[in-house]
Amino acid sequence: MVVMDIDFIHGDSLVAQKSEPINTDKLSLALDEVLARYPDASQLRLFAVHGLAYYQLTVDGKPLLLSATTGQTPALLTQAQATAYAQTYYRGEDKPSNATLYLDNPPAEISPRILPVWQVNFESNLNASLYLNANTGALVSKRHDYWRLFDIMWMLHIMDYDTRSDIHNPLLTIMALVALLTALAGIALTYISFRAAPATHNASANPLVSTHKGEAP
């Protein structure tokens, strides 16, 4: 797990990260209008992706995405749009092989919290996959075979065979306690064995002591 660089495992070398400036003077939907429409909103964020601005906020504990142009939830991207956006992120020269839209039941390698997403796979030696937000085309995750292998090793390491993310699961806690008790028992037994060992002396090994009886010295 520590042989390879963690940034490579994360797939940072696969993509070119982009930041886009936002001209708030050209927004059709102003921030004040959003707050007036959703007075109880929290975690409000304004961002731009592929030349378009969006508001991301939380309303009644649920995420809400609004277009800063229309004021409505943006429509889902088409397969052609998702593929084109993925290519703008991908650093390599490999071509996309296929794209799949996930509205529910996503692959195990991504969290359901980022749904809906487009999965765009590339014809590369790493079997790279880019995951894009299905509404905006923003890059939300990237995966490849080394990440998948790392994920298996991480699963075995933390002993969470379901979500592969719970480092406080009961099985790991029990095994950690067993390992601790075993180590403490080993230390205790080592100490006891040294304390209990008798001081033995082999008389026959001493050349000054005669082993023959009845003879004059």
Side-chain angles (χ1 to χ4, degrees), residues 47-62:
F47 66 98
V49 58
H50 304 297
L52 299 174
Y54 301 90
Y55 288 103
Q56 178 75 55
L57 58 155
T58 301
V59 180
D60 296 330
K62 298 180 181 180

Side-chain angles (χ1 to χ4, degrees), residues 2-217:
V2 297
V3 171
M4 307 197 74
D5 183 73
I6 192 62
D7 292 329
F8 171 76
I9 295 298
H10 288 163
D12 293 344
S13 60
L14 293 176
V15 299
Q17 296 290 351
K18 303 176 181 180
S19 60
E20 298 186 32
I22 303 173
N23 188 347
T24 56
D25 295 333
K26 294 184 178 181
L27 297 180
S28 301
L29 180 64
L31 176 60
D32 292 341
E33 296 179 63
V34 176
L35 294 176
R37 189 187 302 182
Y38 304 99
D40 297 328
S42 60
Q43 299 178 342
L44 179 61
R45 182 170 72 99
L46 174 64
F47 66 98
V49 58
H50 304 297
L52 299 174
Y54 301 90
Y55 288 103
Q56 178 75 55
L57 58 155
T58 301
V59 180
D60 296 330
K62 298 180 181 180
L64 177 64
L65 180 69
L66 295 175
S67 167
T69 302
T70 65
Q72 305 298 321
T73 299
L76 294 174
L77 300 175
T78 64
Q79 185 180 52
Q81 288 174 318
T83 302
Y85 285 154
Q87 287 182 289
T88 66
Y89 289 111
Y90 192 68
R91 277 183 173 175
E93 298 181 357
D94 309 301
K95 300 300 181 181
S97 57
N98 58 75
T100 305
L101 175 63
Y102 289 97
L103 301 176
D104 53 21
N105 299 320
E109 63 185 24
I110 62 169
S111 170
R113 291 177 297 179
I114 66 174
L115 292 174
V117 296
W118 274 100
Q119 178 199 57
V120 182
N121 299 315
F122 286 82
E123 299 173 345
S124 68
N125 295 330
L126 297 176
N127 290 319
S129 300
L130 300 188
Y131 290 90
L132 278 60
N133 182 284
N135 296 111
T136 65
L139 179 67
V140 292
S141 189
K142 58 266 187 194
R143 298 289 184 257
H144 55 87
D145 283 348
Y146 284 99
W147 184 96
R148 297 175 181 110
L149 177 60
F150 183 93
D151 189 49
I152 293 174
M153 301 305 296
W154 174 253
M155 173 191 70
L156 297 175
H157 178 61
I158 67 172
M159 305 183 75
D160 178 12
Y161 307 109
D162 186 17
T163 64
R164 304 185 183 187
S165 60
D166 184 7
I167 61 174
H168 302 292
N169 66 82
L171 181 58
L172 180 61
T173 302
I174 292 172
M175 295 306 298
L177 289 175
V178 170
L180 176 61
L181 292 175
T182 301
L184 292 176
I187 295 173
L189 290 174
T190 301
Y191 175 78
I192 293 172
S193 64
F194 276 107
R195 288 292 301 269
T200 57
H201 299 281
N202 189 350
S204 61
N206 191 339
L208 300 179
V209 178
S210 175
T211 58
H212 300 281
K213 297 180 179 180
E215 296 184 2

